[in-house]
Amino acid sequence: MRIYVNDVAVRDGFQIEPHFIPTATKVEVVNQLSRTGLHKIEVTSFVSAKAVPALADAREVLAAIDRVPGVIYVALVPNLRGVHDAAASPARPDEVNGVMSASETHNRANINRTHEQSLADMPAMIRAAHDAGMKITMSLSTSFGCPFEGRVHEDAVLDFVARFRDLGFDGISLADTTGMANPRQVRSLTAKVLERFPPPDETFYTLHFHNTRGMGLANVVAGIEAGVRSFDGSVSGLGGCPFAPGATGNICTEDLVNMLEDMGCDTRVDLAKLLAVARRIPQVVGHDVPGQVMKAGQTLELHEPPARLRS
Ligand code: ZN
C-alpha cells in the first residue's frame, strides 16, 4: 500500500524555536530532505514578519533551495495577503496551504478572524493561487479537539470539508493541532469524510497529527485503516505545542516511516537518509528532540549477540 509522507519541520518546527535559524541552515535542511523521497516539504510561511520573525526569510529560502523533480514544495499562507506574497515571490512555492480552525475560538486566537471572515476570503485565495500557477490546499486546525472549546463535533468538520471541496481547494488537511485526537475518533471521523466526500486522488486528504499525548502514530494507523493515504510529520519530531510549553509537537517523520515500512507500506522514503537528517537537527536547534528511532536505530538494525553466545 502506497503511503505519502510529507515533512513540515522547516516551517512548523523551526517556527517556534526561540532563536532565528539562519537562512542557509534552513536551505541545507530542505535540500537534504529533498533527497530522501518525501512527497511534500513545507518550506516556509508567507506570514507577517512581525508576527513570526522566525520565517521572515520565506522568499530567500524558496529562491535558494534546489528543487528535486517530483517533490512538492509548500508554503503556509494564513490569509489572502499571504497568497499574494507567495505569488509575488521570485521563486514561488508549488503549493500554498491555508489555515482555518474548526473551532471559532481557536480561529480567533490563531489568526484573529471569525469563521465567516475566513470563509469569505477563500474564493479570492483560490483564484490568486491558481492564477499564479500554484495549487492551494486548506488545513482545518483543531479538527479533533480545541484547547479552548473541547471536543469538536464531527458534523462541524464534515460541514467545513464540504465547503472547502465546493470552493475548489486542491486538497484538505485535517489537523490535530494540540494533540487531542484518539484512534477511535480518527477512524470514525475520517471514515465519514471519505465516504461522504470521496477524494479525487490518494493525496487529496492529509492527516496532520501531533504527539502531544503519545497517540500520534496510533492515530496514523487509525487513519490508514479508514482509507487515508497522506500524512504529515516533522523530522526528528521538531515542533511543539503553543499552549503547552515543553510539550511534544508533530509526530516524528522518521518514526512514522519506520513504522509504515515495518507494516509493509510503501513510502518511497529512504529511511537511512532521513535518519541522517534527523540526527543533525539537535545541533541545528541546540537542544534534544523527541525522535525515537534516531536514538534506538531502525527496527531491524540488529545487534551482536553477547560474546558467550558466539562460538
Ligand atoms: Zn503541526
Side-chain angles (χ1 to χ4, degrees), residues 6-294:
N6 317 307
D7 194 275
V8 300
V10 179
R11 199 279 306 166
D12 207 341
F14 285 173
Q15 172 174 329
I16 61 154
E17 289 299 322
H19 65 273
F20 184 78
I21 308 289
T23 306
T25 308
K26 290 172 183 152
V27 171
E28 209 183 301
V29 174
V30 171
N31 286 346
Q32 289 169 341
L33 288 172
S34 288
R35 290 176 174 83
T36 62
L38 291 163
H39 180 58
K40 291 184 187 181
I41 300 174
E42 196 164 287
V43 172
T44 189
S45 173
F46 284 91
V47 60
S48 118
K50 221 168 80 189
V52 188
L55 302 177
D57 55 359
R59 290 162 147 254
E60 290 81 357
V61 172
L62 279 162
I65 54 172
D66 300 328
R67 310 234 182 170
V68 172
V71 180
I72 299 167
Y73 296 90
V74 182
L76 191 90
V77 287
N79 47 38
L80 180 57
R81 164 125 189 240
V83 184
H84 285 313
D85 288 347
S89 172
R92 289 175 190 154
D94 302 310
E95 187 173 292
V96 289
N97 177 32
V99 277
M100 189 186 111
S101 305
S103 115
E104 175 95 10
T105 312
H106 191 271
N107 205 47
R108 296 178 71 171
N110 194 35
I111 55 173
N112 200 24
R113 334 196 83 198
T114 63
H115 278 154
E116 286 318 310
Q117 287 171 323
S118 282
L119 288 162
D121 262 2
M122 288 180 190
M125 289 174 74
I126 294 169
R127 217 175 309 122
H130 287 168
D131 284 351
M134 303 182 293
K135 292 209 165 186
I136 179 165
T137 58
M138 181 52 67
S139 272
L140 189 63
S141 297
T142 66
S143 284
F144 301 90
C146 164
F148 310 119
E149 296 182 14
R151 289 280 165 233
V152 169
H153 202 282
E154 283 187 341
D155 289 340
V157 176
L158 289 165
D159 198 52
F160 285 125
V161 168
R163 294 180 81 160
F164 295 166
R165 275 186 54 117
D166 292 346
L167 282 163
F169 283 105
D170 301 300
I172 297 172
S173 176
L174 300 179
D176 183 27
T177 316
T178 59
M180 295 172 71
N182 66 67
R184 190 173 177 169
Q185 179 193 12
V186 169
R187 192 176 298 116
S188 167
L189 176 61
T190 53
K192 283 178 191 152
V193 167
L194 289 164
E195 190 198 295
R196 290 199 205 163
F197 313 106
D201 58 62
E202 282 192 308
T203 58
F204 186 81
Y205 293 115
T206 294
L207 292 174
H208 178 107
F209 291 124
H210 280 213
N211 199 36
T212 321
R213 293 174 177 85
M215 288 185 270
L217 292 184
N219 288 331
V220 169
V221 175
I224 289 173
E225 285 174 359
V228 180
R229 296 291 175 260
S230 168
F231 296 87
D232 288 346
S234 171
V235 67
S236 80
L238 201 63
C241 169
F243 304 106
T248 302
N250 301 285
I251 58 169
C252 170
T253 311
E254 68 277 9
D255 291 3
L256 170 68
V257 170
N258 183 69
M259 178 188 79
L260 294 171
E261 292 288 333
D262 278 2
M263 289 170 66
C265 301
D266 173 18
T267 64
R268 314 264 163 102
V269 176
D270 183 328
L271 183 52
K273 278 191 189 166
L274 188 59
L275 279 164
V277 185
R279 286 176 177 137
R280 287 198 55 239
I281 299 291
Q283 264 169 283
V284 169
V285 294
H287 57 76
D288 195 17
V289 288
Q292 291 181 283
V293 177
M294 61 188 280

